[in-house]
């Protein structure tokens, strides 16, 4: 592996969604990520096209066995950081909670990923992305005027407020550990992360630029005619983000809009719920229905309007800009996102495909000093599977 995290070892202890996403981020940037998976079950098959499983080594253990837990602790002794995505208290009950792990390795950065957090009235309650986003006020703010809240993809809670903040916390704690020589526990909760992502809107609300009672009316919420999506004549969509005076002027010119009607009086990026906006939006919508999406791309893409076509995932992989930058790469036989961000001096290697569950059992345990004979005994006892 190459990349800025080369030389760091991270143990990934179970979890779905945001925890493996964090592991992907760290592995993409060169960390040696070892995923400890539960014992294989009949019918288990690897998901070879799952980007959240790439750039790992995989070891499968029977976590009901005390001997397997001892192997987990030995791996944690060799690690710089670990992640786990269990409900609060589960890792403790299994025998590798942070108190035990840090006693074995005082420099360990122990990252914990949950939706509600390690404490609080809801800490033990089940939940998913939509619930965590709802509790922060973010879900209420997403949706059209007069409509119900729109369910977003689970980008905001799981991956933005969860996995990204867990990776951010781990990197911050690793930097601190280099100075102090001490590890610590990271409580990464999606409700905390999404609340942080909402910080700008907390400010907008405080100064009267975001109305909780009428979501969808602010410019950044799609309330204004100059910041929204529009349907084209072929039933596809484009996006407009003319949120600055020069870009708004370009929008008026490109669409041949009436400057008297669409003048500065209705261009108010810091306004909220202007009663003239619905009428102007209808005029703009009619303009965009005059041409196909590709025709609008030919006219507006790369210009001063702040324009982009609304693409499907497949279309995005073939857009000339994304192709030129290598935003997507082939990992094995599958097209996936490229590692991000980019580094001038320590670029990461191309991503490696996911490993089969337990594919690295022998190699990883050999690094702990377990020879072939001892390994075979562990397999025979169903401790390693």
């Amino acid at each position: 592996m190459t990349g800025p995290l080369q030389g760091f070892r991270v143990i990934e202890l179970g979890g779905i969604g945001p925890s493996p996403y964090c592991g992907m981020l760290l592995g993409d940037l060169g960390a040696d990520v070892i995923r400890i998976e539960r014992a294989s079950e009949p019918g288990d098959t690897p998901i070879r096209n799952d980007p959240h499983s790439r750039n790992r080594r995989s070891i499968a253990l029977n976590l009901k066995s005390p001997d397997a837990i001892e192997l987990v602790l030995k791996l944690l002794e060799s690690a710089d950081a670990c992640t786990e995505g269990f409900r609060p208290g589960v890792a403790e009950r299994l025998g590798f909670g942070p108190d035990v792990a840090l006693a074995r390795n005082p420099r360990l950065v122990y990252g914990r990923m949950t939706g509600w957090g390690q404490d609080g009235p809801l800490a033990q309650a089940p939940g998913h992305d939509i619930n965590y986003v709802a509790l922060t006020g973010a879900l209420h703010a997403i949706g059209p005027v007069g409509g119900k809240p729109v369910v977003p993809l689970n980008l905001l809670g799981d991956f933005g407020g969860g996995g990204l903040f867990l990776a951010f916390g781990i990197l911050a704690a690793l930097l601190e550990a280099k100075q102090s020589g001490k590890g610590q526990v990271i409580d990464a909760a999606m409700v905390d992360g999404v609340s942080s992502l909402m910080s700008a809107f907390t400010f907008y609300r405080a100064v009267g630029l975001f109305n909780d009672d009428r979501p969808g009316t602010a410019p950044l919420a799609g309330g204004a005619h100059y910041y929204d999506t529009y349907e084209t004549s072929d039933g596809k969509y484009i996006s407009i983000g003319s949120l600055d005076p020069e870009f708004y002027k370009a929008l008026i010119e490109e669409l041949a809009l009436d400057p008297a009607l669409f003048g500065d009086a209705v261009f108010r990026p810091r306004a909220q719920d202007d009663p003239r906006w619905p009428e102007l939006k209808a005029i703009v919508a009619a303009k965009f229905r005059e041409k196909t999406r590709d025709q609008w791309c030919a006219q507006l893409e790369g210009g001063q309007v702040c324009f982009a076509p609304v693409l499907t995932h497949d279309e995005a992989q073939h857009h000339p800009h994304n192709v030129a930058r290598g935003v997507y790469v082939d990992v094995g036989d599958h097209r996936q996102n490229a590692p991000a961000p980019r580094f001038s001096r320590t670029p990461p290697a191309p991503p490696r495909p996911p490993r089969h569950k337990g594919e690295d059992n022998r190699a990883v345990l050999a690094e702990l000093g377990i020879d072939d004979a001892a390994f075979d005994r562990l397999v025979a006892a169903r401790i390693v599977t």
Side-chain angles (χ1 to χ4, degrees):
M1 295 296 292
T2 60
L5 296 182
Q6 184 179 14
F8 288 94
R9 172 171 285 187
V10 179
I11 307 301
E12 182 183 323
L13 296 157
I16 59 173
S19 185
Y21 176 65
C22 173
M24 182 199 78
L25 295 175
L26 301 177
D28 279 356
L29 301 190
D32 175 20
V33 181
I34 300 173
R35 175 186 285 173
I36 298 178
E37 306 195 68
R38 291 182 180 273
S40 299
E41 298 291 341
D44 274 358
T45 56
I47 304 176
R48 301 295 284 180
N49 61 345
D50 180 10
H52 294 173
S53 297
R54 73 192 190 192
N55 286 336
R56 306 284 210 291
R57 294 194 286 167
S58 171
I59 178 171
L61 300 176
N62 176 10
L63 296 182
K64 296 178 181 179
S65 165
D67 291 330
I69 300 303
E70 180 60 26
L71 292 175
V72 172
L73 293 172
K74 285 184 177 296
L75 282 168
L76 294 179
E77 287 178 5
S78 71
D80 299 288
C82 73
T83 66
E84 58 100 335
F86 303 109
R87 285 195 201 180
V90 171
E92 285 86 347
R93 291 195 295 272
L94 288 171
F96 48 76
D99 290 345
V100 175
L102 278 130
R104 300 281 287 260
N105 179 2
R107 295 178 61 93
L108 182 68
V109 171
Y110 196 108
R112 316 195 79 174
M113 180 76 261
T114 59
W116 307 114
Q118 294 295 317
D119 53 24
L122 295 176
Q124 293 295 332
H128 275 296
D129 177 286
I130 189 172
N131 310 123
Y132 313 133
V133 173
L135 202 73
T136 64
L139 187 60
H140 175 78
I142 301 172
V145 179
K148 72 172 187 175
V150 172
V151 179
L153 296 176
N154 61 325
L155 301 174
L156 189 54
D158 280 350
F159 305 127
L164 272 173
F165 272 83
L166 177 60
F168 173 63
I170 286 173
L171 295 180
L174 286 173
L175 284 172
E176 194 279 336
K178 289 181 69 69
Q179 297 177 324
S180 68
K182 298 177 181 178
Q184 58 184 306
V185 180
I186 301 165
D187 176 2
M190 291 178 223
V191 290
D192 298 347
V194 175
S195 178
S196 177
L197 293 172
M198 284 289 288
S199 57
F201 297 92
T202 301
F203 164 71
Y204 296 154
R205 180 177 177 274
V207 297
L209 301 179
F210 201 91
N211 187 347
D212 272 349
D213 295 329
R214 283 180 56 79
T217 58
L220 289 174
H225 54 288
Y226 46 82
Y227 198 90
D228 204 354
T229 59
Y230 292 96
E231 187 176 9
T232 56
S233 65
D234 53 350
K236 298 180 180 179
Y237 288 83
I238 55 89
S239 67
I240 295 295
S242 304
L243 203 60
D244 304 273
E246 63 271 30
F247 307 140
Y248 185 63
K249 182 175 182 291
L251 177 68
I252 293 174
E253 293 173 352
E254 290 286 357
L255 297 188
L257 299 170
D258 181 357
L261 185 61
F262 284 84
D264 293 341
V266 295
F267 174 68
R268 298 191 299 152
R270 289 188 167 275
Q272 164 79 26
D273 205 5
D274 191 308
R276 295 166 294 182
W277 285 351
E279 175 191 355
L280 301 181
K281 185 176 288 192
I283 296 172
V284 173
K287 284 283 187 178
F288 278 118
R289 283 195 295 268
E290 293 176 359
K291 298 179 182 180
T292 67
R293 188 185 70 182
D294 287 348
Q295 288 174 322
W296 285 117
C297 286
Q299 178 178 340
L300 300 178
E301 198 164 25
Q304 294 302 302
V305 168
C306 293
F307 165 93
V310 177
L311 302 178
T312 67
H313 195 199
D314 182 66
E315 289 173 329
Q317 295 180 25
H318 296 93
H319 189 278
H321 180 80
N322 294 335
V323 172
R325 279 188 58 81
V327 174
Y328 298 92
V329 296
D330 290 327
V331 182
D333 297 328
H334 303 281
R335 180 63 57 89
Q336 298 179 0
N337 57 290
R342 305 178 186 210
F343 297 82
S344 63
R345 188 173 54 81
T346 58
R352 294 175 289 114
R355 306 282 281 173
H356 290 278
K357 182 183 285 192
E359 189 170 348
D360 301 292
N361 284 345
R362 189 180 296 271
V364 170
L365 294 181
E367 294 172 7
L368 299 182
I370 295 174
D371 60 23
D372 286 345
F375 176 83
D376 290 340
R377 288 194 293 272
L378 291 171
V379 172
R382 296 289 298 167
I383 294 166
V384 176
T385 62

